Amino acid sequence: MISKTLDVKKKNIRISNSKKFTIVSYGCQMNVSDSEVVASILKSIGYIYSHNISDSELVLLNTCSIREKAEQTVRKKLESLKSIKKINKNFKVGVLGCMAERLKEKFLEEEKIVDLVVGPDAYRDIPNLLKEIEYGNDAVNVLLSKDETYGDINPSRFNTNGINAFVSIARGCDNMCTFCIVPFTRGRERSRDPKSILAEIYDLVENGYKEVTLLGQNVDSYLWFGGGLKKDFNKASDIQKKTSLNFSKLLDLVAKNFPKTRIRFTTSNPQDINDTVLTTMAKHDNICNHIHLPVQSGSDRILKKMNRKHSSKEYLNLVNKIKKIIPDCGISHDMITGFPGETENDHLDTLNLMNKVKYDFGFMFKYSERPGTLAARKFEDTVKEEVKQKRLSEIIDLQLKHSFENLAKYIGFNSNVLIEKESKKSHDHWCGRNPQNIMVVFPKENFKIGDYAVVKILTNTSTTLIGKAIKNYKE
Ligand code: 5AD
Ligand code: SF4
């Protein structure tokens, strides 16, 4: 039997047979956030978190299916766990997240080491599933939900610097981009009760956290009207509609209630981000001036085949509007090369769009066919691997050039930096981010993690600003 926790906070007592668990998260920030929910559920039944896999009796891999390579990484990890299972028969392995949802029971057949398969909406069932394993039964729950948001669970921040935290505000995605597996693995879009969002942030702030990132596949389409799927908004009562809360209102509420906390959000979809979101960002100093605005391609023909709900012109108009309303706003992107049927001209359109926007940074990928998506069913994966790779290298090179040029513009100016960790390259330097989400590195002097510093920028690479702190701010 799994042991129960006894009044942990007051007496730090646990029944001695408490089990240790580890969670390894792959893929997006939403998985990191979900792992904290799972950790909280496990702690409530007496499990203790451990950093060490070989020391744990339960290891959970929170998986990603976005590209084939992400799935291969998980399979390799499962392979590496076999040696532990050989020595310790009580060692249990669970898979959570998107790959669990995609493969369902098949996961147990394909990877014999797996004991537990749990989809993104079924984490509350983990305690029961663990019992099923003990009875020798299969433990699979991949039901998707209309209203699960885990809003009432206080995430257990087991892998934290105590400064930055993710707060999920919505789950699922209704966009159905033709290349994307997410709508199948994470279900329909639903928003979380703003009261529970505010309560979670309040708790974080009380515990010393300085920066909160609001998370959703599609934050700008956040809409609270009393629960349920976003698509059912039209069926809501008049009073529900009247009292509904959209993303700009939520952002305003969070910024006003926590004026000393830095607020970020991700991910934005071009068709959903509206003027009020931008004016709300401009109005509040504590909302960071950065928008992650995936575009995926610069070709209208490809955008249409991707079922993106904007043209390249509409996207560029939006970028111009952002720059007008928030002149120092950092803008980043996601881009896919080699979507089925992508020609050299389409690729040139992508390079052209990048040349017009001059993004600060971006995440660039080769198209990876995902089973069951509309693109996989309707379009042949025609672009050869070498061509995808060549185009990817070209867009990465162009992005690095733009990043370097954009970052060089900071030289001689001051950036407000929240200190997050030690620089990877030097024990004598701190590393933090400025509001535009750019890494800033500078000598530690008397500063400490969690401090805000005004850093004068002296030089840059294409990913990092390097400078010297001149004073604290927000003291
Ligand atoms: N192939 C390659 N990249 C993909 N992405 C989503 N699906 C795929 C796919 N099938 C990328 C998109 C998205 C980011 C999270 O991952 O750029 O914005
Ligand atoms: Fe996938 Fe498109 Fe939804 Fe992003 S918006 S999660 S790319 S379907």
Side-chain angles (χ1 to χ4, degrees):
M1 273 297 287
I2 297 152
S3 63
K4 284 259 181 296
T5 309
L6 289 182
D7 205 353
V8 193
K9 270 190 186 150
K10 274 190 209 141
K11 293 184 185 153
N12 205 17
I13 300 171
R14 281 167 193 275
I15 293 174
S16 58
N17 67 346
S18 283
K19 294 181 176 181
K20 288 188 183 162
F21 75 99
T22 300
I23 308 186
V24 186
S25 297
Y26 297 90
C28 63
Q29 292 151 329
M30 193 60 105
N31 267 6
V32 175
S33 174
D34 279 359
S35 292
E36 295 178 342
V37 165
V38 172
S40 174
I41 292 170
L42 284 172
K43 278 188 170 177
S44 74
I45 54 166
Y47 274 78
I48 298 172
Y49 177 76
S50 163
H51 282 287
N52 192 345
I53 290 187
S54 48
D55 174 45
S56 302
E57 278 166 68
L58 173 66
V59 67
L60 299 170
L61 307 186
N62 200 351
T63 64
C64 172
S65 282
I66 201 96
R67 284 168 289 278
E68 201 188 342
K69 217 168 145 198
E71 293 203 352
Q72 282 164 359
T73 310
V74 171
R75 291 199 194 259
K76 271 193 208 134
K77 185 74 182 174
L78 288 170
E79 193 59 39
S80 77
L81 296 177
K82 284 185 180 162
S83 57
I84 305 179
K85 190 115 174 177
K86 256 189 204 150
I87 325 169
N88 179 1
K89 292 280 175 261
N90 292 326
F91 182 65
K92 301 287 181 237
V93 177
V95 283
L96 316 174
C98 288
M99 225 177 141
E101 191 63 47
R102 191 178 86 70
L103 290 168
K104 305 185 169 56
E105 288 82 3
K106 261 197 290 177
F107 223 142
L108 295 177
E109 289 158 31
E110 287 180 14
E111 302 284 352
K112 296 279 179 257
I113 189 173
V114 171
D115 301 289
L116 181 76
V117 180
V118 196
D121 286 349
Y123 297 145
R124 284 181 204 271
D125 199 28
I126 289 176
N128 299 325
L129 294 168
L130 288 171
K131 278 189 197 139
E132 292 299 330
I133 301 180
E134 290 197 1
Y135 299 144
N137 299 331
D138 282 355
V140 180
N141 188 341
V142 287
L143 285 178
L144 287 172
S145 160
K146 280 183 182 174
D147 44 27
E148 179 60 88
T149 60
Y150 302 115
D152 57 325
I153 295 178
N154 196 6
S156 170
R157 323 252 167 206
F158 58 88
N159 206 357
T160 176
N161 62 357
I163 306 299
N164 316 97
F166 296 128
V167 173
S168 85
I169 63 164
R171 299 181 73 81
C173 182
D174 286 351
N175 278 341
M176 298 303 279
C177 299
T178 57
F179 53 82
C180 188
I181 195 86
V182 169
F184 301 92
T185 57
R186 288 194 162 264
R188 307 300 299 258
E189 234 173 81
R190 64 224 104 111
S191 297
R192 176 175 167 191
D193 186 339
K195 280 199 209 90
S196 80
I197 297 173
L198 292 173
E200 186 175 329
I201 302 175
Y202 181 81
D203 198 55
L204 287 166
V205 172
E206 285 287 289
N207 282 293
Y209 283 81
K210 301 278 171 68
E211 183 182 287
V212 160
T213 303
L214 307 177
L215 282 187
Q217 245 71 45
N218 211 354
V219 281
D220 299 271
S221 79
Y222 174 90
L223 183 63
W224 174 257
F225 56 94
L229 297 178
K230 162 97 186 282
K231 74 173 175 74
D232 291 333
F233 180 64
N234 288 336
K235 293 186 210 149
S237 67
D238 286 347
I239 181 83
Q240 279 178 320
K241 282 185 186 159
K242 258 190 208 146
T243 54
S244 66
L245 193 88
N246 64 13
F247 183 58
S248 59
K249 287 187 195 156
L250 177 74
L251 203 53
D252 192 56
L253 205 60
V254 172
K256 263 191 207 143
N257 276 280
F258 306 100
K260 292 197 171 131
T261 305
R262 267 189 172 190
I263 316 295
R264 296 185 185 276
F265 56 87
T266 195
T267 293
S268 293
N269 265 289
Q271 70 273 12
D272 293 317
I273 189 161
N274 60 29
D275 292 11
T276 331
V277 171
L278 302 178
T279 50
T280 307
M281 287 176 76
K283 191 169 97 185
H284 294 284
D285 277 350
N286 59 330
I287 304 178
C288 289
N289 288 348
H290 167 239
I291 301 178
H292 184 58
L293 199 63
V295 63
Q296 318 295 3
S297 169
S299 152
D300 286 332
R301 207 176 65 81
I302 296 295
L303 286 173
K304 205 158 181 207
K305 278 180 87 174
M306 286 176 160
N307 193 32
R308 297 290 291 177
K309 303 197 175 83
H310 55 84
S311 64
S312 59
K313 194 170 169 210
E314 284 163 339
Y315 184 90
L316 288 169
N317 285 343
L318 173 62
V319 168
N320 287 336
K321 203 192 293 174
I322 294 171
K323 290 187 172 168
K324 211 166 149 194
I325 299 177
I326 315 162
D328 66 343
C329 194
I331 302 180
S332 54
H333 67 101
D334 289 346
M335 200 76 85
I336 297 176
T337 64
F339 185 79
E342 186 190 66
T343 62
E344 204 52 32
N345 270 341
D346 295 319
H347 173 58
L348 289 178
D349 284 346
T350 294
L351 294 171
N352 270 337
L353 179 124
M354 289 175 71
N355 274 320
K356 285 183 183 147
V357 180
K358 293 198 164 63
Y359 295 98
D360 296 298
F361 61 93
F363 301 97
M364 293 151 277
F365 313 100
K366 282 184 279 185
Y367 171 71
S368 166
E369 186 177 277
R370 306 315 294 133
T373 56
L374 197 115
R377 285 183 278 129
K378 274 184 82 174
F379 312 128
E380 212 180 315
D381 189 2
T382 46
V383 182
K384 289 201 184 84
E385 180 59 27
E386 318 85 85
V387 177
K388 281 185 189 170
Q389 185 55 54
K390 178 187 138 288
R391 291 180 187 163
L392 180 66
S393 303
E394 283 175 19
I395 63 168
I396 290 176
D397 287 348
L398 184 61
Q399 183 52 57
L400 287 175
K401 177 175 171 283
H402 289 155
S403 297
F404 187 84
E405 288 166 0
N406 286 358
L407 268 58
K409 291 182 191 149
Y410 285 89
I411 293 177
F413 291 94
N414 296 336
S415 258
N416 292 342
V417 180
L418 172 60
I419 303 173
E420 295 172 19
K421 56 189 175 195
E422 193 170 83
S423 156
K424 274 191 195 140
K425 292 193 180 149
S426 155
H427 293 309
D428 303 325
H429 287 72
W430 287 130
C431 177
R433 281 173 296 157
N434 71 5
Q436 290 74 14
N437 213 19
I438 296 167
M439 285 289 183
V440 184
V441 167
F442 60 97
K444 283 183 175 173
E445 298 180 62
N446 293 326
F447 290 90
K448 56 185 190 313
I449 292 182
D451 281 350
Y452 292 98
V454 179
V455 179
K456 179 159 186 183
I457 306 303
L458 303 171
T459 182
N460 70 291
T461 68
S462 49
T463 54
T464 313
L465 296 170
I466 300 145
K468 183 171 173 23
I470 53 175
K471 62 174 185 220
N472 280 60
Y473 75 103
K474 291 200 173 184
E475 285 284 83

